[in-house]
Amino acid sequence: MADRMGGTMASEAKNGRAILALDQGTTSARAIVFAADGAVLALAQREIGLTFPQAGWVEQDPLEIWTAQRATAAEALQDSGVAIADVAAIGITNQRETTIVWDRATSLPIAPAIVWQDRRTAERCEELRRAGHEALVRRKTGLVLDPYFSATKIRWLLDAVPGARERAARGELAFGTVDSWLAWQLSGGRLHITDATNASRTLLYDLRAGDWDDELLALFDVPRALLPAVCDTCGVVGQTDAAVFGAPLPLAAMVGDQQAALFGQACTARGMTKVTYGTGCFLLLNTGEEPVESQSGLLSTVALQRGGRRTYALEGSVFIGGAAIQWLRDGLGIIAEARDSAALAARVPASDGVYFVPALAGLGAPYWEPRARGAILGLTRGTTAAHIARATLEGIAFQVADLLGAVAGDAGVTPADVRADGGASHNDLLLQFQADVLGVPVTRAAQTESTALGAALLAGLAVGLWKDERQTADLWRAERTFAPDPVADREALLAGWRAAVACVRDLAGRTEPPAARRRAGEQGR
Ligand code: ADP
């Protein structure tokens, strides 16, 4: 396992020091034990179920999250052969925004977790937007008024669960994102905390002040008594309960998954950028000590807080990244496995004027057209599955190029290169094309588990396993750099893409708005 992860099996917890990273993702809990040289000593993983009780609703069982996370931690520790006394610290990284409310006395959730993907509060967000609150929210939080973030989910829970609002006001309940929930459970209910990166995804946190904001709390109708204390991303915040691992361990880092990946990719200086190619694609550009207000509808977020000092990032995401490859597999059936996309695409030297705009779940940044649908354009009788596979990989890269253009414009910096990770970053053709359309080199990290690595590095930094950020950055290794092809006609490629996106947007503009469709549906019933 360690070899595949870019580490070496020969590595040991040098000087008896290792870090346990808990990586709580949307579909799985993972635990990885890292040695002081950054090598992976052991990894354990368990799937976590998602339920979809109604259209647009996505829920998880908070107890399943905790149980799975705890089990993977025990398994990874056991497999690593590292004694508990040799674990220097624990770092947590997590799916962000997912909302849990629990009873402080029993540590039991009052309802299922509302997962970040859940859209049930879309109407509430729309109401707030119509009432003119968007500008305030953007300015203070760096986010947009969207059901994605925690605030409207918290209010929904308080309204839906009988007695919850009264109990919250009396201080009997606690809210937390998944980092908070795990810290609570790990500490046996002694720690009710969240770190600044996670707090900055709630819509309740003032980015510049670095704390919960009364005006936002009032706007979203969330009582302060419910909220965790905001702590450093990197810093010892407490100890785990001895009962959990047999001995107390310092909890030394908590960090949202994308910010963890940014740190794991050693993007610690202003302008440095990483892209994670997973189901969706997430681009984060480090903007240094000042948050940047985006002019393109992108998000401004905390990258890291250490010793009370924050650095910030601009974040852009596309909903459909690797998911487009899944669609080739499951929807079209032209590949058996995601990785076959590379061989199929390589059968043709170019996509030959075929463009795939993978707007399978609407168009996100920088277009923001939720009605958009995907399209494959430029077909001829000579078009084959290979052209479509190639156009799909190119479509992923074009979307990322749009994000980078927007982010770089907002921040006023052009990154010298881009660091890639995530499942689809294993695709050479994708990364080569990415470099060609960006006109900057794209480097795949040796350790593509940059999320867990980031949490481990932050935890190790907090307990002095590594001296400073230069030392943690030194552990980062490039696996391969894709230099832009000097003969690639970047402008021509981008012009074709933009024309294809224009078609998709035009078509979306001609379709009935969702509200009208819904009303029509209701009349029909
Ligand atoms: P997540 O963390 O979002 O679940 P991963 O980082 O595990 O995602 O990446 C999985 C995604 O990457 C899937 O959508 C899959 O289709 C895609 N993928 C995996 N391997 C390849 C590959 N070799 N080429 C293209 N896409 C790939």
Side-chain angles (χ1 to χ4, degrees):
M1 183 58 78
D3 286 333
R4 193 169 61 78
M5 311 279 303
T8 61
M9 293 300 266
S11 289
E12 286 170 18
K14 226 181 251 168
N15 309 323
R17 308 294 266 172
I19 301 286
L20 173 63
L22 306 182
D23 179 0
Q24 206 296 304
T26 309
T27 54
S28 72
R30 285 136 49 91
I32 304 186
V33 181
F34 287 94
D37 61 0
V40 171
L41 299 175
L43 179 153
Q45 173 161 350
R46 284 204 186 179
E47 300 304 311
I48 293 175
L50 288 156
T51 50
F52 310 95
Q54 292 189 31
W57 290 34
V58 187
E59 297 184 345
Q60 273 178 331
D61 176 358
L63 290 172
E64 184 186 349
I65 291 176
W66 162 235
T67 315
Q69 194 63 72
R70 184 181 182 161
T72 58
E75 196 181 320
L77 282 171
Q78 167 124 35
D79 290 355
S80 70
V82 172
I84 238 0
D86 290 334
V87 178
I90 293 188
I92 297 176
T93 180
N94 57 288
Q95 54 166 318
R96 304 170 301 172
E97 298 104 8
T98 295
T99 298
I100 305 174
V101 175
W102 65 92
D103 183 327
R104 290 178 191 269
T106 62
S107 296
L108 293 173
I110 64 163
I114 305 185
V115 177
W116 56 273
Q117 298 158 332
D118 191 291
R119 310 295 299 172
R120 78 183 65 177
T121 57
E123 259 172 46
R124 177 67 189 145
C125 290
E126 189 51 45
E127 264 170 46
L128 291 167
R129 199 173 300 116
R130 276 201 303 271
H133 297 299
E134 177 114 56
L136 168 89
V137 166
R138 278 205 75 86
R139 183 165 47 79
K140 282 202 170 173
T141 70
L143 309 176
V144 292
L145 257 175
D146 191 275
Y148 190 73
F149 307 104
S150 315
T152 55
K153 294 171 162 40
I154 303 174
R155 184 189 142 132
W156 190 94
L157 283 175
L158 293 184
D159 290 343
V161 178
R165 189 162 281 285
E166 296 71 34
R167 297 183 64 206
R170 288 199 299 269
E172 292 170 18
L173 302 181
F175 150 75
T177 39
V178 173
D179 55 318
S180 244
W181 169 245
L182 292 177
W184 177 274
Q185 295 292 349
L186 284 165
S187 66
R190 280 194 300 276
L191 295 173
H192 186 210
I193 49 174
T194 187
D195 93 292
T197 64
N198 277 293
S200 77
R201 315 295 298 186
T202 57
L203 285 175
L204 301 172
Y205 174 89
D206 182 325
L207 265 193
R208 288 174 186 78
D211 205 353
W212 307 122
D213 180 85
D214 285 325
E215 197 175 1
L216 295 168
L217 292 177
L219 181 66
F220 290 104
D221 206 2
V222 172
R224 201 177 251 272
L226 205 56
L227 299 179
V230 183
C231 62
D232 277 353
T233 309
C234 172
V236 178
V237 287
Q239 305 282 322
T240 62
D241 191 89
V244 179
F245 297 115
L249 290 174
L251 178 54
M254 305 209 298
V255 58
D257 52 10
Q258 296 308 320
Q259 288 92 335
L262 189 68
F263 196 81
Q265 288 273 29
C267 295
T268 49
R270 183 168 174 267
M272 292 183 81
T273 303
K274 72 92 194 172
V275 179
T276 300
Y277 296 86
T279 310
C281 296
F282 285 87
L283 181 148
L284 267 76
L285 178 146
N286 186 322
T287 60
E289 293 183 2
E290 286 299 321
V292 171
E293 212 169 310
S294 173
Q295 304 305 313
S296 338
L298 299 174
L299 309 178
S300 200
T301 198
V302 175
L304 169 66
Q305 180 177 306
R306 188 174 173 214
R309 288 185 55 191
R310 280 175 298 286
T311 51
Y312 297 88
L314 270 170
E315 172 174 323
S317 56
V318 292
F319 309 127
I320 304 288
I325 303 294
Q326 291 169 343
W327 180 74
L328 294 186
R329 186 192 61 195
D330 306 334
L332 278 191
I334 59 173
I335 50 173
E337 283 187 62
R339 68 161 177 266
D340 301 341
S341 59
L344 180 58
R347 282 199 212 151
V348 288
S351 53
D352 237 351
V354 178
Y355 288 90
F356 180 9
V357 184
L360 307 181
L363 270 175
Y367 305 107
W368 301 112
E369 178 45 85
R371 290 172 299 178
R373 288 174 161 234
I376 302 176
L377 299 98
L379 305 178
T380 68
R381 284 191 69 174
T383 302
T384 65
H387 293 102
I388 291 177
R390 199 169 184 109
T392 308
L393 293 168
E394 293 179 355
I396 297 171
F398 278 129
Q399 294 184 100
V400 169
D402 283 342
L403 284 183
L404 189 72
V407 158
D410 283 338
V413 288
T414 305
D417 63 5
V418 166
R419 297 183 170 184
D421 55 62
S425 76
H426 293 288
N427 193 308
D428 292 353
L429 203 145
L430 170 63
L431 294 199
Q432 181 58 58
F433 189 76
Q434 187 71 81
D436 293 346
V437 288
L438 292 179
V440 299
V442 174
T443 299
R444 182 165 58 216
Q447 176 56 276
T448 49
E449 294 289 341
S450 27
T451 306
L453 178 64
L457 294 177
L458 287 164
L461 200 53
V463 293
L465 183 58
W466 297 293
K467 217 169 63 232
D468 52 29
E469 287 184 10
R470 198 168 314 156
Q471 268 196 5
T472 55
D474 279 349
L475 296 173
W476 181 85
R477 294 275 177 278
E479 185 258 315
R480 182 168 168 191
T481 294
F482 297 82
D485 180 349
V487 302
D489 190 346
R490 205 173 144 245
E491 283 314 316
L493 289 168
L494 285 169
W497 164 253
R498 289 194 186 115
V501 170
C503 291
V504 162
R505 296 172 80 189
D506 183 49
L507 190 63
R510 291 164 195 271
T511 51
E512 231 181 326
R517 244 194 338 254
R518 203 169 42 241
R519 274 197 304 276
E522 278 161 10
Q523 278 159 15
R525 268 204 300 273

